[in-house]
Amino acid sequence: MIEKFRICITQAFIKLFRKNTRISDRRYNQILYRLRTGKKANLDCPKTFNEHILARKVFANEDNLTQYTDKYEVRSYVEKTIGSRFLVKNFGVWDDPEEISFDKLPRQYVLKATHGSGWNIIVRNGRDVDATKIVPKLKGFLKENYYTYGREKNYRFIKPRIVCEEFIEGASGRSIVDFKVFCFGGRAKFYSVTYFENGKQHFNIFDLSDGRLEIKDRYEKVDCASLPSNIDDIVGLAQQLAKPFDFVRVDFYIAKQGIFFSELTFHSGGGIRPIEPMEYDYKLGSYFDTIGAP
């Protein structure tokens, strides 16, 4: 109950104050963290994973990360680095949703905004598409600047566009598996696994040295026996993509059709997702101290 309340008041704060330019990035993120976790963040001397993420959001100049954050532009980097076979098929990119020829798209597809997170429309039957309902929603996405939600600077100057991608699905009665690899100085240190099965969300963090971390949360545990057998290969791909960055989370989809790149994330959880017990927040935060180490 407390967790749901904290989520609600955090969302309410974002809705009311995200465009308030009188609130500095520092103050804004401190408030977000306090509302979401009930704790005070030390941004000047970060120790926990969340504190490090928050400090990066506040102090780092990350405009140079725009091309890697843009959901369309990043594709060229992925193709060059690990190959096009790991990219979800793209059917087009548009500045104006009015220009989308829905009758020429496949039966199933996903429409995504290139400049944000979670701004997606899944179409499972193109024959039933009502453009008069979808186009206004897409235009609504294009009017937003995702930077204002969490003050992530790498989103500030992304050109708002809409892309259409192939619809991919999970295997064996399970949703697509979100496989996220956390890399520090180009080296993977831990990964997380998320999927839905029988209407329930499963989530766990796995440390590459210590195995599964017993994080306290409201989700079901991941069935370790059903983890993909090629984890080392996925981690290797992530490290190739992570090489230019001191920290990045490299996200993949594990689908019935194969393994696909999802996105590069530079502020995992926005720095406000609780990691409990706190000893794990400190443990994961300690990996930032390994950046640059031989």
Side-chain angles (χ1 to χ4, degrees):
M1 182 64 71
I2 295 177
E3 172 75 3
K4 291 182 179 179
F5 174 73
R6 291 196 179 282
I7 291 174
C8 288
I9 60 173
T10 304
Q11 291 174 339
F13 173 81
I14 293 172
K15 184 176 181 179
L16 291 172
F17 296 104
R18 65 186 180 87
K19 294 183 179 181
N20 188 329
T21 57
R22 291 177 296 177
I23 304 176
S24 68
D25 288 352
R26 180 189 182 106
R27 183 62 179 153
Y28 185 88
N29 277 285
Q30 285 177 323
I31 293 172
L32 283 184
Y33 183 77
R34 190 64 175 261
L35 291 175
R36 185 66 180 84
T37 68
K39 301 179 177 68
K40 182 178 180 180
N42 185 342
L43 303 188
D44 297 307
C45 186
K47 295 295 183 183
T48 69
F49 179 81
N50 277 318
E51 286 175 341
H52 276 285
I53 296 298
L54 291 171
R56 285 166 174 262
K57 289 169 67 177
V58 172
F59 300 121
N61 180 2
E62 298 179 322
D63 292 340
N64 63 314
L65 299 178
T66 294
Q67 63 178 310
Y68 304 105
T69 307
D70 185 309
K71 300 295 190 294
Y72 182 72
E73 295 298 332
V74 71
R75 292 174 61 88
S76 60
Y77 171 68
V78 174
E79 182 175 4
K80 178 182 177 181
T81 306
I82 62 174
S84 59
R85 66 188 182 278
F86 296 107
L87 290 170
V88 177
K89 186 175 181 180
N90 177 271
F91 298 115
V93 56
W94 301 270
D95 296 333
D96 183 356
E98 295 277 5
E99 299 174 354
I100 301 175
S101 299
F102 289 94
D103 58 331
K104 295 182 180 180
L105 296 177
R107 185 171 180 271
Q108 294 184 314
Y109 54 88
V110 181
L111 295 164
K112 297 181 177 182
T114 61
H115 63 301
S117 179
W119 292 339
N120 310 321
I121 297 177
I122 299 174
V123 176
R124 297 181 181 273
N125 187 350
R127 301 189 188 96
D128 297 333
V129 165
D130 185 346
T132 63
K133 293 182 179 180
I134 289 183
V135 169
K137 190 170 184 179
L138 295 175
K139 286 185 174 181
F141 293 159
L142 296 181
K143 291 179 181 178
E144 297 288 343
N145 187 330
Y146 194 72
Y147 159 74
T148 64
Y149 287 80
R151 305 290 179 93
E152 298 178 64
K153 296 182 180 69
N154 50 312
Y155 281 101
R156 279 192 298 188
F157 302 120
I158 298 178
K159 181 181 180 180
R161 289 178 292 180
I162 300 297
V163 293
C164 181
E165 294 183 349
E166 179 183 11
F167 174 81
I168 56 176
E169 55 188 328
S172 305
R174 178 180 296 166
S175 71
I176 292 172
V177 175
D178 280 324
F179 195 97
K180 307 177 188 297
V181 186
F182 296 72
C183 297
F184 302 77
R187 298 183 181 91
K189 297 297 184 180
F190 62 96
Y191 61 88
S192 70
V193 177
T194 307
Y195 59 82
F196 286 87
E197 190 171 40
N198 298 322
K200 295 181 179 180
Q201 183 172 347
H202 295 248
F203 169 80
N204 268 119
I205 293 176
F206 296 84
D207 188 278
L208 288 173
S209 298
D210 301 333
R212 185 166 73 180
L213 305 183
E214 296 303 321
I215 302 292
K216 293 181 180 178
D217 52 43
R218 64 185 187 280
Y219 307 115
E220 299 291 322
K221 298 299 181 185
V222 167
D223 178 8
C224 294
S226 64
L227 289 175
S229 59
N230 57 344
I231 287 178
D232 289 344
D233 295 333
I234 301 174
V235 169
L237 293 171
Q239 291 184 145
Q240 291 182 59
L241 291 170
K243 190 173 181 179
F245 313 107
D246 61 350
F247 168 76
V248 68
R249 194 188 80 201
V250 185
D251 299 356
F252 292 94
Y253 297 128
I254 301 177
K256 182 168 65 176
Q257 296 93 328
I259 298 169
F260 299 99
F261 169 81
S262 171
E263 64 180 351
L264 298 178
T265 300
F266 297 95
H267 309 108
S268 183
I272 65 172
R273 180 172 180 172
I275 302 175
E276 296 179 345
M278 280 293 290
E279 64 184 86
Y280 289 133
D281 204 352
Y282 281 101
K283 175 182 175 60
L284 302 182
S286 69
Y287 288 128
F288 282 98
D289 297 330
T290 68
I291 295 175

